[in-house]
DNA sequence: TGTTGCTGGTTTGTTGACGATACTACCAAC
DNA sequence: GTTGGTAGTATCGTCAACAAACCAGCAACA
């Protein structure tokens, strides 16, 4: 009765299990086990794994199977850098395209961000900060950059959790994102992207610092 | 007797056929046909297609099969923009890391570029220009950005051929890349990436112009 | 004790067959 | 002449079984 290919299902289910840490890094993914768990065929798991491999979430070795890929700290930093470059591009588009309604939404989310900050809830600041950035993604309407950003984010969800917990990070996020939103509201693409560049520069610093706290395994 | 999975083969064979235009845009890719042509199983073609879909080179519709994806002009421009953002990031790394040997290589390729320009061979200017940029990729050692750039380039090989034929484009390429290489040689990351940004800005313009020449099907 | 070589079990890679779906051409009715 | 329905074909999605390769454990030997 499957009107459309189920592979999408298995893919996203596995995807979620990996990025949420349900399947730990370096853990093997035996095709048969997950086929039974998901109540589907091995071939579907197989295809899902192939896609996940291209996402950089798993590695597949011939005749040895798939396992969750271990992301090295250096790689995480590099990924942050790429994300920064893309979002900088994207914000300049957003500044040119933002409607009044868009600006209102951004303001609104920003207020929630302040609230979270004042409540001393860094985790929530991180979540809302991400929400703002995703809103900017939407506003920019840059499908291609969006595609890559989506792909990228999967790889650093876990790192992000750590860096947002660094002392002072929450304040910095609030301040810098405010600046970004301000410039976007003014329609100043140049300044907006410069502000975003700075946001990402300091996000990168925070990550590097977080990574040095101890040799954390991603 | 295949010691390792052949899927890599089928993938790259199909890949080449698509980017070189052997399989035309919108042309159907019937699994069975190519399985016979490559003398392999349908499952391999299937997996190769799944990967190509994520590369954005083919689209797969349930029960309708795969076909080479048609890249719209808007998409090509967006892709150029993303490429520009990534290479700008990457050049600043290259400026920091370039050794004397690297600089010598860059100079050498640059000379070949001048030669091609003076011979009035825009196609060759394009090819060599690309060679320089790939050299910069290597120097930057930014694996993550590189991964994405590789992925991206597959989608715009055909567009590139067109934009390099625009009048004056060859000269602009030579001039702007010289500037980039100069700054990289000086180790000035800031200026180098700014120069690269300009290069890509004008590459984008050239593409837009080329696209408007006539409604070319990619 | 340390190393080598075998052996059984486990997991993957491959294959062919079957059922499901969408497209197409034909025919009848209006 | 056009529209609507229907059968046939081509193609895809799914599945289960087989073959090849890897791995752990044990035994034999230096």
């Amino acid at each position: 009765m499957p009107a459309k290919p189920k592979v999408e299902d298995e893919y996203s289910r596995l995807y979620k299990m990996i990025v949420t840490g349900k399947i730990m890094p370096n853990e093997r993914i035996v095709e048969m086990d997950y086929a039974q768990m998901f109540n589907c065929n091995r071939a579907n798991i197989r295809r899902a794994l192939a896609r996940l491999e291209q996402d950089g979430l798993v590695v597949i070795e011939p005749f040895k199977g798939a396992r969750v890929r271990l992301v090295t700290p250096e790689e995480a930093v590099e990924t942050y850098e790429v994300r920064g470059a893309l979002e900088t591009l994207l914000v300049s588009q957003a500044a040119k395209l933002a409607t009044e309604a868009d600006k209102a939404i951004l303001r609104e989310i920003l207020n929630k961000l302040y609230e979270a900050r004042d409540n001393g809830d860094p985790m929530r600041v991180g979540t809302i900060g991400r929400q703002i950035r995703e809103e900017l993604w939407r506003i920019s309407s840059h499908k291609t950059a969006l595609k890559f950003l989506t792909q990228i984010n999967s790889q650093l969800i876990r790192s992000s959790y750590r860096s947002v917990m660094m002392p002072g990070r929450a304040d910095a996020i609030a301040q810098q994102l405010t600046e970004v939103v301000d410039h976007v509201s003014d329609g100043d693409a140049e300044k907006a992207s410069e502000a975003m560049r700075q946001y990402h520069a300091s996000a990168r610093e925070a990550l590097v610092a977080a990574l040095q706290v101890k040799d954390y395994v991603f």
Side-chain angles (χ1 to χ4, degrees), chain A:
Chain A
M1 193 263 313
K4 56 181 171 181
K6 291 164 56 186
V7 69
E8 202 57 38
D9 272 353
E10 281 81 23
Y11 169 72
S12 46
R13 281 185 73 178
L14 271 175
Y15 181 99
K16 274 192 189 138
M17 290 183 76
I18 293 173
V19 298
T20 59
K22 285 249 195 306
I23 313 178
M24 292 302 283
N26 237 336
E27 187 176 330
R28 286 194 59 189
I29 301 181
V30 177
E31 297 176 359
M32 202 54 185
D33 294 353
Y34 286 86
Q36 290 179 347
M37 186 185 311
F38 293 170
N39 202 26
C40 74
N41 192 289
R42 243 184 74 202
N44 296 56
I45 301 292
R46 182 166 268 275
R47 271 177 53 182
L49 286 175
R51 290 188 58 181
L52 289 168
E53 184 184 27
Q54 256 196 339
D55 286 344
L57 285 176
V58 307
V59 286
I60 302 180
E61 288 174 290
F63 294 105
K64 293 181 64 179
R67 58 182 62 231
V68 177
R69 197 160 82 96
L70 200 74
V71 177
T72 65
E74 290 77 19
E75 229 180 313
V77 173
E78 281 195 0
T79 310
Y80 258 57
E81 290 171 351
V82 170
R83 187 180 69 172
L86 289 181
E87 281 200 354
T88 302
L89 159 68
L90 206 143
V91 156
S92 86
Q93 288 283 339
K96 290 172 193 158
L97 298 176
T99 66
E100 288 308 316
D102 292 332
K103 295 172 187 173
I105 293 174
L106 286 172
R107 286 273 158 221
E108 197 181 324
I109 308 180
L110 211 49
N111 284 332
K112 283 201 287 181
L113 186 89
Y114 295 144
E115 205 176 296
R117 181 196 55 181
D118 296 340
N119 287 344
D121 187 346
M123 213 64 170
R124 188 161 160 71
V125 168
T127 308
I128 299 181
R130 194 188 146 120
Q131 228 175 308
I132 291 184
R133 284 167 34 223
E134 283 178 355
E135 200 59 29
L136 288 167
W137 297 0
R138 182 188 61 73
I139 296 170
S140 76
S141 319
H142 201 295
K143 293 208 200 83
T144 308
L146 184 60
K147 200 182 79 186
F148 284 102
L149 275 172
T150 313
Q151 210 178 119
I152 283 179
N153 262 308
S154 55
Q155 284 179 52
L156 31 76
I157 287 182
R158 272 168 300 189
S159 343
S160 305
Y161 284 135
R162 289 191 67 76
S163 66
V164 76
M165 296 304 280
M166 295 300 286
R169 184 78 195 113
D171 288 331
I173 289 177
Q175 191 221 312
Q176 293 173 323
L177 282 186
T178 302
E179 209 171 313
V180 171
V181 171
D182 281 346
H183 291 308
V184 168
S185 294
D186 294 346
D188 190 332
E190 200 58 46
K191 281 187 183 161
S193 61
E194 181 52 36
M196 193 48 128
R197 198 194 322 282
Q198 276 178 23
Y199 167 83
H200 278 292
S202 85
R204 182 189 182 283
E205 294 311 310
L207 175 65
V208 170
L211 289 175
Q212 283 171 347
V213 170
K214 58 178 171 182
D215 51 334
Y216 188 75
V217 180
F218 285 84

